[in-house]
């Protein structure tokens, strides 16, 4: 067979991810506050755009206990069986990474229960410990607070330099994880000088910073309070025995009676195991909801976007006409007219894309309210199992589109503020054969454990029986998994914790 070149014509179809389509997809994942920053950049780049009072998106009214079709152009397409025309925000699955459903079994590893003094469950319970709202309540960081004290307590430049180096090695809790020998080698100084600098750092406020272990941190605070006697020193050196619940043995080791031992434990709980957390560099920013859910007098729901954080972008048509008149003159070139046309197209597209984004978010949020109406009326116990696919099939969008809509967005209702991903949970079978949300099961487990008798701690087998009486068909290992996921210890760990609480 002879080989030779030839010319063929072939016709194929493919989906091209244009820059505008990629940008539209990105807009879906942004929250209202992120959209505001994005629009700020767009205003700087396009002179035809300006902030203004654009017509707000009307809230969606959801009638009680029945589904009604929305009146947006996208929903009309879906109702006419033309969901494929709903673009540019809904695209083919073959061109995108499909995000997984948010369920209970996968994703981030839940925070597990830690016994006292391996964390600080027992120490931080005292009345003198800092309240939760005190953490991170300062504008300055821990390092800045400590650096500001160095100049007032030391005059030796070399000692001050080593102390400042040690301060920079502290973690957020105020602990020094690096070895003194390694620090001495890095700085080319003697270990004695590093130890002297560490003693200087440990003398600064707050007391306990610069410690290399929990015992050392508590001991520093006990010395500051003039309570570091031999009995207290022995107690602090054996904190792991408190975590194991070996209180009688520890009392005998300290050589004190029960009354003195109870006072020592109360004193211990008054110390702060993580003094550095008082200086977190500023309070955390509150969550700003993107969607507002309000109940109507007739039993239905109003679903609206948060207009307070939603930027309003409009096209400055008067400026465009003025620019077009200038470009029509003889001095204007072809490049000037092309630039103006490009900016006009970009401005028109961005305004339409933002409007489409708002309608898509409202559509998905409205379906969430319909699907989880029991939660909004009666609480987490009525939360149903729900997947992204179920919502996507109902609203006529792709699963990946729904995933992007529910990312980084929060919903505020009478029960609080929740991330949209919260409403997508896996489920377990109920006694009546219907699915029950994993969040509802966790809430039931937490309620049972919170109400348990300290003298009769509930085992996992007992929890299985109690949950079965409530209509939850669960295996023992499933109960243990959910219990650990919400940060509750086993019956043995809880018994020790309640025994320690009784010593207060």
């Amino acid at each position: 067979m002879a080989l030779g070149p030839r010319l063929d014509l072939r016709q194929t179809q493919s989906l091209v991810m244009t820059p505008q389509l990629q940008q539209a997809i990105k807009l879906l994942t942004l929250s209202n506050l992120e959209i505001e920053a994005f629009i700020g950049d767009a205003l700087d780049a396009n002179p035809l755009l300006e902030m203004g009072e654009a017509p707000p998106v009307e809230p969606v009214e959801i009638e009680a206990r029945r589904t009604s079709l929305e009146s947006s152009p996208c929903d009309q397409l879906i109702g006419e069986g033309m969901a494929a025309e709903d673009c540019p925000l809904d695209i083919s699955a073959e061109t995108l990474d499909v995000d997984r459903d948010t369920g209970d079994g996968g994703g981030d590893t839940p925070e597990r229960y830690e016994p006292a003094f391996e964390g600080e469950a027992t120490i931080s319970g005292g009345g003198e410990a800092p309240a939760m709202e005190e953490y991170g309540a300062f504008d300055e960081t821990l390092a800045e607070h400590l650096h500001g004290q160095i100049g007032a307590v030391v005059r030796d430049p070399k000692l001050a330099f080593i102390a400042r180096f040690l301060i920079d090695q502290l973690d957020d809790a105020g602990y020094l994880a690096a070895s003194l020998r390694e620090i001495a080698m890095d700085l080319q100084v003697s270990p004695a000088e590093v130890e002297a600098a560490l003693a200087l750092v440990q003398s600064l406020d707050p007391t306990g910073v610069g410690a290399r272990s929990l015992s050392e941190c508590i001991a520093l605070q006990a010395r500051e309070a003039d309570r570091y006697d031999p009995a207290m020193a022995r107690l602090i050196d054996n904190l792991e025995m408190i975590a194991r619940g070996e209180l009688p043995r520890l009392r005998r080791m300290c050589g004190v009676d029960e009354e003195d031992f109870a006072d020592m434990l109360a004193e211990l709980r008054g110390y702060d195991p993580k003094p550095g957390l008082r200086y977190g560099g500023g309070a955390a920013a509150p969550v700003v909801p993107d969607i507002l859910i309000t109940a109507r007098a007739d039993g239905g729901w109003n679903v609206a976007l948060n207009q307070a954080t939603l930027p309003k972008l409009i096209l400055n048509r008067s400026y465009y006409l003025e620019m077009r008149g200038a470009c029509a003159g003889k001095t204007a070139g072809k490049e000037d007219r092309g630039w103006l046309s490009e900016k006009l197209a970009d401005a028109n597209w961005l305004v339409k894309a933002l409007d489409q984004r708002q309608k898509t978010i409202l559509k998905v949020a409205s379906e969430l309210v319909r699907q989880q109406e029991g939660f909004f009326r009666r609480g987490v116990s009525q939360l149903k199992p729900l997947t992204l696919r179920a919502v996507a099939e109902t609203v006529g969008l792709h699963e990946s589109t729904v995933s992007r809509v529910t990312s980084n967005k929060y919903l505020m209702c009478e029960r609080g503020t929740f991330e949209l991903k919260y409403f997508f949970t896996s489920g377990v079978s109920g006694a009546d054969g219907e699915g029950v949300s994993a969040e509802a099961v966790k809430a039931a487990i937490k309620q049972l454990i919170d109400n348990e008798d300290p003298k009769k701690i509930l085992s996992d087998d007992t929890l299985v029986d109690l949950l079965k009486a409530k209509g939850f068909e669960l295996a023992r290992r499933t109960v243990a998994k959910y219990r650990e996921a919400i940060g509750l210890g086993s019956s043995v760990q809880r018994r020790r914790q309640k025994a320690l609480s009784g010593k207060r």
Side-chain angles (χ1 to χ4, degrees):
M1 182 177 61
L3 298 178
R6 67 178 186 180
L7 185 63
D8 292 335
L9 289 177
R10 295 181 182 179
Q11 186 175 7
T12 60
Q13 289 184 342
S14 63
L15 180 62
V16 178
M17 292 286 289
T18 64
Q20 287 186 341
L21 183 57
Q22 295 177 17
Q23 192 72 348
I25 294 172
K26 179 183 177 181
L27 290 177
L28 275 180
T29 62
L30 301 180
S31 64
N32 283 1
L33 295 180
E34 292 170 330
I35 284 289
E36 186 175 3
F38 171 81
I39 288 181
D41 296 336
L43 289 172
D44 294 337
N46 195 333
L48 300 183
L49 292 172
E50 67 176 2
M51 301 294 291
E53 295 294 331
V57 177
E58 294 295 330
V60 176
E61 296 184 357
I62 302 178
E63 299 182 6
R65 300 185 180 278
R66 71 184 184 91
T67 302
S68 61
L69 189 66
E70 299 178 24
S71 59
S72 67
C74 300
D75 296 298
Q76 294 175 5
L77 291 174
I78 296 169
E80 297 170 1
M82 301 171 62
E85 300 296 326
D86 185 13
C87 58
L89 302 184
D90 194 18
I91 63 177
S92 174
E94 289 78 13
T95 61
L96 295 175
D97 294 329
V98 180
D99 296 340
R100 62 169 175 83
D101 285 357
T102 299
D104 181 71
D108 297 336
T109 303
E111 182 180 356
R112 298 179 63 86
Y113 175 85
E114 295 292 343
F117 290 104
E118 291 296 324
E120 65 286 349
T122 301
I123 304 180
S124 60
E128 297 182 4
M132 183 62 67
E133 59 270 13
E134 295 181 20
Y135 288 107
F138 295 87
D139 293 332
E140 62 180 354
T141 63
L142 175 64
E144 292 172 346
H145 179 70
L146 297 176
H147 280 304
Q149 303 175 58
I150 289 294
V153 297
V154 63
R155 292 292 181 264
D156 185 356
K158 185 176 182 180
L159 184 61
F161 173 79
I162 300 174
R164 292 184 185 278
F165 182 85
L166 291 176
I167 290 173
D168 293 334
Q169 305 305 310
L170 301 180
D171 60 15
D172 293 339
Y175 285 83
L176 179 65
S179 169
L180 296 185
R181 182 180 298 273
E182 294 177 354
I183 294 176
M185 294 177 61
D186 292 339
L187 298 180
Q188 297 296 315
V189 296
S190 66
E193 291 175 313
V194 177
E195 291 178 0
L198 179 60
L200 173 62
V201 172
Q202 291 178 348
S203 67
L204 302 178
D205 177 72
T207 305
V209 296
R212 289 157 290 181
S213 65
L214 178 61
S215 297
E216 186 177 11
C217 178
I218 300 302
L220 290 171
Q221 298 178 59
R223 290 191 182 96
E224 178 72 17
D226 196 19
R227 286 281 293 164
Y228 195 70
D229 52 36
M232 179 63 78
R234 197 169 290 112
L235 175 65
I236 294 175
D237 290 339
N238 295 276
L239 295 178
E240 68 280 355
M241 295 181 64
I242 300 180
R244 294 196 299 265
E246 301 176 6
L247 300 183
R249 180 186 172 191
L250 183 58
R251 181 179 62 81
R252 291 193 297 269
M253 291 175 60
C254 295
V256 296
D257 56 22
E258 292 188 0
E259 183 178 356
D260 289 340
F261 189 69
D263 291 340
M264 291 169 62
L265 289 178
E267 180 76 20
L268 195 66
R269 294 188 184 97
Y271 299 141
D272 186 0
K274 296 182 178 181
L277 292 185
R278 299 188 180 198
Y279 301 86
V287 173
V288 179
D290 302 275
I291 304 163
L292 306 177
I293 308 296
T294 55
R296 299 208 314 266
D298 59 358
W301 304 93
N302 283 331
V303 183
L305 296 177
N306 186 1
Q307 299 292 337
T309 60
L310 192 64
K312 301 174 179 62
L313 193 64
I314 62 174
L315 178 65
N316 190 339
R317 299 189 179 278
S318 60
Y319 184 69
Y320 166 71
L321 294 176
E322 181 180 349
M323 291 290 292
R324 188 178 65 176
C327 291
K330 295 182 180 179
T331 59
K334 184 177 181 180
E335 294 182 359
D336 296 335
R337 291 189 291 270
W339 175 86
L340 183 61
S341 299
E342 180 182 351
K343 293 300 180 181
L344 177 63
D346 291 343
N348 280 325
W349 173 85
L350 184 56
V351 171
K352 293 178 181 178
L354 291 173
D355 179 68
Q356 178 69 18
R357 171 188 176 273
Q358 296 174 14
K359 293 177 180 178
T360 305
I361 292 175
L362 277 178
K363 181 163 53 176
V364 174
S366 301
E367 183 59 28
L368 281 179
V369 175
R370 294 189 185 100
Q371 296 276 5
Q372 303 289 6
E373 185 175 4
F375 166 82
F376 293 99
R377 296 191 183 279
R378 292 178 290 277
V380 69
S381 61
Q382 299 298 317
L383 199 62
K384 298 179 180 179
L386 187 62
T387 62
L388 295 173
R389 179 172 297 180
V391 174
E393 291 176 350
T394 304
V395 300
L397 298 174
H398 192 273
E399 188 177 347
S400 62
T401 304
V402 177
S403 177
R404 289 178 173 85
V405 169
T406 55
S407 297
N408 304 319
K409 297 177 184 64
Y410 291 84
L411 176 150
M412 187 176 74
C413 60
E414 295 178 354
R415 299 192 176 277
T417 302
F418 303 88
E419 189 178 8
L420 292 185
K421 292 286 188 183
Y422 173 80
F423 299 98
F424 296 94
T425 63
S426 60
V428 296
S429 60
D432 54 0
E434 295 185 359
V436 181
S437 170
E439 293 295 332
V441 177
K442 291 178 183 178
I445 293 175
K446 187 176 187 304
Q447 182 181 17
L448 290 173
I449 292 179
D450 289 343
N451 297 330
E452 67 183 354
D453 188 351
K455 299 181 179 180
K456 190 177 181 181
I457 303 299
L458 302 177
S459 64
D460 288 344
D461 291 326
T462 305
L463 289 174
V464 170
D465 297 335
L466 295 176
L467 290 171
K468 187 175 182 181
K470 290 178 173 288
F472 302 116
E473 294 287 345
L474 298 173
R476 181 183 179 280
R477 63 180 180 274
T478 306
V479 172
K481 181 186 72 171
Y482 287 159
R483 173 179 52 73
E484 293 174 355
I486 57 181
L488 298 176
S490 64
S491 58
V492 176
Q493 292 170 327
R494 299 200 307 275
R495 186 177 293 108
R496 290 174 179 170
Q497 288 298 309
K498 292 183 184 296
L500 291 174
S501 301
K503 294 290 183 180
R504 294 185 177 182

